[in-house]
Amino acid sequence: MTSPDPQPGPDRGPKRRRLPALLRPLRTLRQRLIATSLLIVALPISAVAVVLVYQEREVVLLEKEKKLFAITRILDSELGPGFDAYLDGLNGGWDNRDGAIERLAQRLTPLTDRIAASDPGVGVGYYVRRLDAIVTYGPSRDYAYTVGRSIPADHPGRQVMAENRPQITQGSLVRGSILNAMYPIERRGQVIGYVWANETTEAIGLQQRLIDLAVFVTSLFGFGVAFVLVWVTSKRLSSEVDVVVHGLAAMKTDLRRRIPPLRDELGEVVDAINGMAKALLDARSLTENILSSVADGIVAVDRRGVVTAINPAAERLYSVSARQVLGRPYSKLFNTDARHSALLETLDSGRPQLGISVELRRGEHTFRVDASSTVLRDGDGRPIGAVVVLKDVSERDRLMVQVMRADRLAALGELTAGIAHEIRNPLTSIRGFLQYLQECESVEEWRHYGPLIIREVDSLNHIVGELLAFGRPRPPQIDAIDLGELVKETAFLARGRSDAQVSVEIEPGLPAIDGDREALKQAILNLVINAIQALPGGGRVDIELAAADADQVAVRVRDNGVGIAPENLSKVFDPFFSTKASGTGLGLAMVHRIVDAHGGTISVQSRTGAGTTVEMRLPVRLQPEPPSEDPR
């Protein structure tokens, strides 16, 4: 069987998944892999950088607060017992405000300058509550001008002294925008002032920016390293994927091609692909060998009606070669259309066509072909085309004709023998009576034997009449029949012929059937009479009428009589076969012919001494003979 490579259609193959909008401009696997990997790397690096920057700002501020408060505690401890010790010997003491400020500035400025010098950028100083003045602010070279100044009423330092609680603020003060740590000076249970240590926010911001820069540089370095690693890895991976892609492309036309071995997981994928290709090649070879050896013709088409496969038997049947028909429309090749083609009808409707018998002409010869077509489906159950199987039954039909002719001759011989047997007995009796009467002169003898001769002649006439009825059945008169009423009427007629009990059981709701009323009445009556005759000592005959399936009804005649011997069951419908001394053997043969004419079936079940059941199954609707179709 030969088939071309399948051509992709508009509705074939798996639909490609659409890429996210961000990745649509990236056409190659490597580009998408690099972009995706970098995106995956960039997100955590950026998140870590943001977290580090945020935490770094918090840490810097916390560290500054701790440092500034440590400096204020140093200033507080360096002050000793308080400001009073620094004013000893001052004329006027505290009342001399200017002198007190000058004395405290002289004593404390070296201390604040030393501490400020130990940490450049930090400003420190003392504020005396009693004098309401700044007495020192280091480094003094920059802030000596503030000595003697009072702080505003809303200055945070006043809140520190009032609440006796350290406080740190950020805002614009004497030095400008600063982070200012203020610590209350408490001596002997009283707050006598406060000390501060501050640093400009510009310096803090510079430090933070330096740390931000370090984080940025580190993140950029990590991103660069990741980019290099992704680039190298993607290059290797894309080259290996290209090997797989090119190998698969080659396999489309030649399944014998193998993909070169690779490493790691892709190597396992390649091994699996090569294994599947070999299995597919073996399966294809097996299928082709099987179809090539099949005696029946097989033709397959795709959804467009284009021939995709044809086996040698079909080539011989159509007198074509695969090269002539593959890839071409089926209807144009064989000059047919869907109305006369089982294959195209199946392709169009999706319904299988089974056992369509037609004649196919090839030159001067005519072939009898049985065509059966069905839908081809893919692994997901979607239709992909249709296939037709063509069986040349010409030789079979010829042999069947010969067998039927032989059967008819045999049946004719049996019929002739049966007729001869049935006619010979009355003729022998008539001949004997006539020979006897030929030598007898008594009128009484003639009167006595004359009726016997007439009875034998009537028997001959009865046999001839049944032969005529069996050999020339009248045309059926088909009409809608209420089979229940017909069964009741037949049972009523049969009851008058015997003392046997005849019962009728009819299933309600049965439909009327198509049939010949008189013929069916004769068939049922014959069955009932046969059942009665099987009850020599009286008995029971049951007639049942019921639905057999969706479109058939069954008539069962059951008796409890003598039954039929097993060796005779296969002969009960043969003409002139009878186990009764006075029977002609045509009754059941006539019943069988009537049932056949109605498209039904008849069966017999019997046990010797237990009774017999005869069942007729009749279709509700008679089906017309199907017209012949072109198998193509």
Side-chain angles (χ1 to χ4, degrees):
M1 189 171 188
T2 309
S3 62
D5 293 330
Q7 299 298 321
D11 56 351
R12 295 184 180 181
K15 294 183 178 179
R16 299 183 62 182
R17 297 178 61 186
R18 298 190 64 185
L19 294 172
L22 185 62
L23 298 180
R24 287 176 193 166
L26 307 176
R27 298 300 180 185
T28 66
L29 173 63
R30 186 180 182 189
Q31 291 174 343
R32 294 195 293 271
L33 182 60
I34 291 175
T36 304
S37 300
L38 292 181
L39 185 62
I40 294 174
V41 171
L43 288 176
I45 289 179
S46 301
V48 170
V50 170
V51 171
L52 287 177
V53 169
Y54 176 78
Q55 291 183 345
E56 164 266 325
R57 293 180 180 274
E58 295 293 330
V59 169
V60 168
L61 289 177
L62 182 60
E63 183 269 332
K64 292 298 183 182
E65 291 178 6
K66 291 181 178 180
K67 182 186 74 170
L68 293 177
F69 275 120
I71 293 174
T72 58
R73 286 192 290 272
I74 292 174
L75 291 171
D76 180 54
S77 63
E78 289 291 337
L79 185 59
F83 296 114
D84 292 333
Y86 292 95
L87 296 180
D88 288 344
L90 178 65
N91 294 330
W94 287 100
D95 294 333
N96 184 1
R97 183 177 183 277
D98 292 338
I101 293 173
E102 184 178 358
R103 173 68 65 84
L104 290 174
Q106 291 175 354
R107 298 287 184 90
L108 296 175
T109 294
L111 172 62
T112 55
D113 283 346
R114 185 176 69 252
I115 293 176
S118 66
D119 194 348
V122 173
V124 297
Y126 290 93
Y127 189 86
V128 179
R129 188 176 189 181
R130 188 170 180 177
L131 297 175
D132 193 19
I134 297 173
V135 295
T136 179
Y137 198 156
S140 58
R141 67 178 182 276
D142 296 326
Y143 307 113
Y145 67 90
T146 62
V147 175
R149 290 186 180 182
S150 298
I151 60 177
D154 59 350
H155 194 284
R158 296 192 181 279
Q159 185 179 359
V160 170
M161 293 185 292
E163 297 178 358
N164 192 15
R165 181 172 59 84
Q167 184 177 343
I168 187 165
T169 61
Q170 185 174 355
S172 180
L173 296 176
V174 175
R175 294 182 64 190
S177 180
I178 60 174
L179 181 65
N180 191 27
M182 294 166 287
Y183 194 85
I185 303 172
E186 181 184 2
R187 297 295 185 270
R188 294 183 294 276
Q190 292 184 354
V191 178
I192 61 173
Y194 74 92
V195 63
W196 72 84
N198 57 46
E199 190 170 358
T200 61
T201 55
E202 181 180 356
I204 297 174
L206 177 61
Q207 184 176 356
Q208 290 175 335
R209 286 193 293 275
L210 289 176
I211 297 177
D212 292 347
L213 179 62
V215 171
F216 175 76
V217 171
T218 303
S219 301
L220 189 61
F221 176 76
F223 192 78
V225 172
F227 178 78
V228 172
L229 293 176
V230 169
W231 179 271
V232 174
T233 304
S234 63
K235 183 176 181 180
R236 174 191 166 189
L237 182 60
S238 63
S239 62
E240 293 179 345
V241 170
D242 287 341
V243 171
V244 177
V245 171
H246 294 155
L248 290 173
M251 283 183 178
K252 287 183 178 180
T253 56
D254 186 5
L255 286 174
R256 295 176 178 82
R257 296 283 295 272
R258 293 292 179 265
I259 302 175
L262 299 175
R263 298 173 295 177
D264 304 328
E265 286 81 0
L266 275 179
E268 297 179 4
V269 173
V270 167
D271 292 341
I273 293 175
N274 288 335
M276 287 189 293
K278 185 178 184 305
L280 183 60
L281 181 62
D282 294 341
R284 176 184 290 182
S285 300
L286 178 62
T287 303
E288 290 178 351
N289 290 335
I290 292 174
L291 293 178
S292 296
S293 61
V294 170
D296 297 338
I298 299 175
V299 183
V301 298
D302 61 16
R303 294 183 62 182
R304 298 173 295 171
V306 174
V307 178
T308 58
I310 183 170
N311 73 336
E315 295 178 34
R316 292 190 296 271
L317 193 62
Y318 285 120
S319 296
V320 296
S321 65
R323 183 177 301 177
Q324 292 175 302
V325 299
L326 289 176
R328 299 180 61 188
Y330 182 86
S331 58
K332 293 183 179 179
L333 287 170
F334 302 110
N335 297 322
T336 185
D337 55 45
R339 293 175 300 172
H340 303 92
S341 169
L343 179 62
L344 296 183
E345 169 64 24
T346 296
L347 187 66
D348 183 57
S349 66
R351 295 189 300 271
Q353 306 289 320
L354 303 177
I356 298 176
S357 181
V358 296
E359 292 183 351
L360 176 65
R361 298 188 62 83
R362 190 174 69 189
E364 297 180 355
H365 300 283
T366 300
F367 297 90
R368 192 74 177 176
V369 178
D370 280 351
S372 298
S373 59
T374 187
V375 177
L376 291 176
R377 301 183 184 276
D378 61 13
D380 296 326
R382 295 189 296 265
I384 58 174
V387 62
V388 64
V389 179
L390 307 169
K391 186 177 184 65
D392 185 356
V393 295
S394 302
E395 183 65 17
R396 185 198 68 182
D397 289 351
R398 186 182 66 80
L399 293 176
M400 287 182 63
V401 170
Q402 293 181 356
V403 170
M404 291 175 63
R405 184 180 296 114
D407 287 344
R408 286 197 297 270
L409 291 175
L412 182 60
E414 293 179 2
L415 180 63
T416 303
I419 293 173
H421 175 75
E422 293 296 329
I423 294 179
R424 177 181 295 172
N425 291 334
L427 287 179
T428 300
S429 300
I430 294 172
R431 184 176 185 278
F433 288 138
L434 290 177
Q435 285 180 339
Y436 175 78
L437 293 175
Q438 187 177 17
E439 298 175 357
C440 180
E441 298 179 355
S442 172
V443 176
E444 294 298 326
E445 292 290 337
W446 278 93
R447 290 177 177 175
H448 176 72
Y449 289 107
L452 296 178
I453 296 173
I454 293 173
R455 187 170 60 194
E456 293 299 324
V457 171
D458 290 340
S459 177
L460 287 174
N461 186 56
H462 175 70
I463 293 172
V464 172
E466 286 195 343
L467 281 173
L468 290 174
F470 179 77
R472 289 187 307 179
R474 65 181 180 83
Q477 305 295 321
I478 303 301
D479 200 356
I481 302 173
D482 185 343
L483 199 56
E485 292 298 325
L486 186 62
V487 167
K488 292 178 182 178
E489 180 181 340
T490 305
F492 177 78
L493 294 175
R495 288 189 185 100
R497 301 193 177 194
S498 170
D499 295 333
Q501 296 180 3
V502 179
S503 67
V504 176
E505 183 178 349
I506 300 175
E507 180 180 319
L510 293 177
I513 71 168
D514 293 342
D516 187 325
R517 177 182 176 83
E518 293 302 320
L520 291 177
K521 180 179 178 180
Q522 178 185 354
I524 298 172
L525 186 60
N526 283 351
L527 293 179
V528 176
I529 291 175
N530 277 354
I532 291 174
Q533 291 174 350
L535 303 170
R540 180 181 180 86
V541 176
D542 297 322
I543 307 174
E544 298 178 2
L545 177 61
D549 52 36
D551 55 359
Q552 284 187 328
V553 294
V555 180
R556 301 181 186 91
V557 178
R558 182 183 297 109
D559 65 69
N560 58 354
V562 296
I564 303 173
E567 63 271 15
N568 294 331
L569 276 177
S570 60
K571 306 175 184 178
V572 293
F573 296 114
D574 293 346
F576 296 106
F577 175 81
S578 177
T579 59
K580 298 188 291 290
S582 61
T584 63
L586 292 177
L588 287 180
M590 183 67 70
V591 172
H592 194 282
R593 170 167 288 185
I594 292 171
V595 173
D596 280 344
H598 284 77
T601 60
I602 185 169
S603 61
V604 179
Q605 294 180 349
S606 182
R607 286 194 305 165
T608 304
T612 302
T613 299
V614 181
E615 180 182 81
M616 292 192 307
R617 290 199 172 196
L618 302 170
V620 175
R621 295 289 175 266
L622 290 179
Q623 299 296 328
E625 291 294 328
S628 298
E629 294 188 30
D630 189 338
R632 301 171 294 174

